[in-house]
Amino acid sequence: MKVSEFPDAFKKEREEKGYDSIEDQNDPAMMILGHKDVRKCAHQWQTFQSGAKPGRIVIPSEVNIRETRQIPFEVDPPEHKSYRNLLEAWFKRPLNEDYKNQLTTQIESIVDEVLNKDAIEVVGDFSLPLQSRALTLLLNIPYSEADLWISWGTHVFRSEDTALDADKANILYNYIDQEIDKAIENPSESLYSQLLNSKVNGKKLTKEEVKGVMILTFAGGRDTVINAVTNSIAYFSEHPNSLKALKENPAMINKAVEELVRYFTPLTQMGRVATKDAEVCEHAVKADSRIALNWASANRDERVFENPNEVVLDRKVNPHLSFGFGIHNCLGATHARQILRILLATLSKKVTSIDVLEAKENIEDLGNFKRKVGFDSLKVQFNK
Ligand code: HEM
Ligand code: EMZ
């Protein structure tokens, strides 16, 4: 398979019945595959809730590796809205000029670094440091803190051989506990301090609530960004003319980012738990069972996207669901989009071609479905 090719794993089932069930630790989930149905179910938060047992809406389920509720991700209205109101402005900071300039400096310097080398392993030596350094801007803490996060590897709940790794998750939880205590002693301008100073419905946020926001910020924005960056490099390695097109027409960059994010869909799906007996695609969903909003499948729905399996960098209408849909839409999307826009601008200016030396694909195992979501490793050479 070409490194830039990411097949549609769900086509047959989406076209034939619109759903299919997958096993997951004795808690199966009914995957919703069509664009229209995914949007409809995402809207029905009263029937399909996020505020179930912490970890249960994630696939694979994380109920066995954490107890802290991630906020605002695992909360339903009306509380959800109060938390969003609190966080919205902070997560829009990536639109500020100063933020963009700092992010540009970071990304240009990492691209300059790799330009001088013979071989670069993109996942560990490019995407992970880029993601971690950029996160210091979002949290508004010193740049040097990124070194520690880089040492944790690409996913905070996974290690090389275990899909769900409780020991590894504890490294993150203990770290966040410590950082919260530090911020209580020495308040600063960081997100920790901002949260510790905030009130929701007249009450100060508890340490557990602050932890819930911070875990989500670390976990949700980690392998998604790493995959988006790595897969973009894979794409341009086989499409050098697209880099040239972006250099000649930088106005196309925003559309190109949306299209790459649609095509890769870094987060395959997210679950919900039925609060009562319901029906989706004329199929019964029992109370307390799980459904999964499959963003990846919806993004290849031929009823919505012309030539869904092709990357059309200047695609005009692109209602992709890669950042989710409805009230829980991705809070980190502004940050993620800035990273990718600046990355594309920088690559198109500084790099003429990228040679792939070695690639090991990361295939998500969803029982009957196998989906390529990124790479375990991708060795390339960047050429000036
Ligand atoms: C929610 C994808 C980057 C923080 C979501 C959702 C998706 C998503 C699909 C919806 C989940 C649902 O409906 O249950 C992505 C992708 C990213 C990305 C594809 C990168 C390309 C980030 C980053 C952060 C972040 C960088 C923060 C550092 C969040 C948060 C939510 C969320 C806090 C929950 C919002 C809520 O529940 O109201 N993301 N994400 N994400 N994401 Fe992201
Ligand atoms: C959860 C999730 C958030 C989950 C919006 O998505 O991202 C996953 O990578 C984490 O494992 O805990 O944060």
Side-chain angles (χ1 to χ4, degrees):
M1 198 193 310
K2 287 160 81 176
V3 290
S4 64
E5 199 180 323
F6 288 72
D8 172 9
F10 308 103
K11 182 178 168 69
K12 185 164 169 278
E13 284 69 19
R14 182 179 60 244
E15 286 176 356
E16 281 173 8
K17 41 183 195 164
Y19 66 90
D20 207 10
S21 182
I22 54 161
E23 271 312 316
D24 174 25
Q25 304 163 72
N26 298 320
D27 192 8
M30 183 182 139
M31 294 190 302
I32 315 295
L33 301 173
H35 191 275
K36 198 169 156 197
D37 291 320
V38 169
R39 293 217 291 195
K40 199 164 136 198
C41 292
H43 256 315
Q44 296 173 327
W45 53 264
Q46 273 149 318
T47 310
F48 301 116
Q49 65 161 189
S50 296
K53 191 171 184 204
R56 196 169 170 216
I57 65 168
V58 183
I59 294 169
S61 168
E62 293 172 353
V63 289
N64 296 320
I65 59 161
R66 68 176 161 92
E67 273 149 27
T68 301
R69 183 172 295 286
Q70 292 185 6
I71 297 173
F73 167 59
E74 294 174 317
V75 183
D76 294 310
E79 291 81 8
H80 175 262
K81 185 73 188 155
S82 314
Y83 289 120
R84 278 291 289 225
N85 287 345
L86 182 81
L87 296 167
E88 214 71 67
W90 184 276
F91 281 86
K92 287 260 152 62
R93 286 165 52 258
L95 295 174
N96 299 346
E97 277 313 305
D98 183 45
Y99 194 110
K100 277 195 260 180
N101 290 339
Q102 289 189 61
L103 194 52
T104 304
T105 305
Q106 286 188 2
I107 292 178
E108 285 184 347
S109 101
I110 197 161
V111 170
D112 284 340
E113 249 171 68
V114 300
L115 267 176
N116 301 321
K117 302 218 174 111
D118 293 343
I120 290 292
E121 199 289 287
V122 179
V123 181
D125 298 335
F126 185 85
S127 308
L128 172 63
L130 192 161
Q131 178 275 338
S132 294
R133 290 170 189 164
L135 191 64
T136 64
L137 292 175
L138 190 63
L139 305 194
N140 203 25
I141 57 176
Y143 179 78
S144 56
E145 198 66 12
D147 290 342
L148 176 68
W149 309 339
I150 294 167
S151 75
W152 293 339
T154 47
H155 198 288
V156 270
F157 297 137
R158 267 166 230 156
S159 51
E160 295 267 305
D161 33 40
T162 342
L164 298 161
D165 186 334
D167 292 338
K168 191 150 190 208
N170 277 328
I171 299 176
L172 175 68
Y173 304 155
N174 293 339
Y175 169 79
I176 290 175
D177 283 337
Q178 270 174 25
E179 293 303 305
I180 292 173
D181 287 337
K182 278 199 224 162
I184 292 172
E185 265 179 40
N186 291 308
S188 69
E189 301 286 302
S190 70
L191 177 59
Y192 297 98
S193 291
Q194 157 86 11
L195 292 170
L196 287 164
N197 276 332
S198 301
K199 285 185 178 167
V200 162
N201 300 331
K203 275 184 29 201
K204 270 201 143 181
L205 250 62
T206 62
K207 272 168 79 167
E208 183 70 5
E209 287 174 304
V210 174
K211 186 176 175 180
V213 175
M214 295 310 302
I215 292 180
L216 175 56
T217 310
F218 273 98
R222 199 171 176 84
D223 51 351
T224 45
V225 170
I226 292 169
N227 282 333
V229 169
T230 308
N231 299 352
S232 299
I233 302 290
Y235 172 77
F236 289 116
S237 75
E238 282 169 351
H239 300 87
N241 286 342
S242 296
L243 267 185
K244 216 169 136 209
L246 294 178
K247 185 178 182 176
E248 281 158 14
N249 185 8
M252 213 171 96
I253 286 178
N254 291 5
K255 279 207 175 77
V257 165
E258 296 313 304
E259 176 65 350
L260 291 171
V261 166
R262 175 192 73 85
Y263 185 73
F264 303 140
T265 317
L267 187 61
T268 303
Q269 55 190 339
M270 196 46 77
R272 297 288 189 266
V273 175
T275 53
K276 54 183 181 210
D277 287 345
E279 202 180 84
V280 185
C281 306
E282 294 163 9
H283 183 80
V285 176
K286 281 223 168 330
D288 198 43
S289 72
R290 301 197 296 169
I291 64 163
L293 309 172
N294 194 313
W295 322 115
S297 170
N299 281 344
R300 300 296 178 96
D301 193 327
E302 35 291 278
R303 291 164 292 192
V304 177
F305 302 98
E306 222 175 280
N307 301 324
N309 300 312
E310 275 171 38
V311 175
V312 182
L313 277 190
D314 61 350
R315 192 179 282 277
K316 304 281 172 306
V317 187
N318 195 347
H320 71 74
L321 305 183
S322 295
F323 291 116
F325 185 74
I327 56 169
H328 287 283
N329 71 11
C330 180
L331 204 46
T334 313
H335 175 73
R337 285 185 162 115
Q338 292 299 32
I339 291 179
L340 294 170
R341 288 171 186 173
I342 294 169
L343 176 68
L344 265 51
T346 307
L347 290 175
S348 69
K349 266 187 255 164
K350 294 185 182 261
V351 178
T352 53
S353 66
I354 302 167
D355 298 322
V356 175
L357 307 173
E358 210 179 284
K360 205 171 151 235
E361 291 172 344
N362 176 4
I363 310 285
E364 225 172 33
D365 186 356
L366 306 162
N368 293 335
F369 301 90
K370 313 274 178 240
R371 174 174 190 251
K372 176 173 163 191
V373 66
F375 297 87
D376 289 330
S377 67
L378 178 67
K379 221 178 252 176
V380 308
Q381 188 168 359
F382 290 89
N383 306 311
K384 279 191 213 178

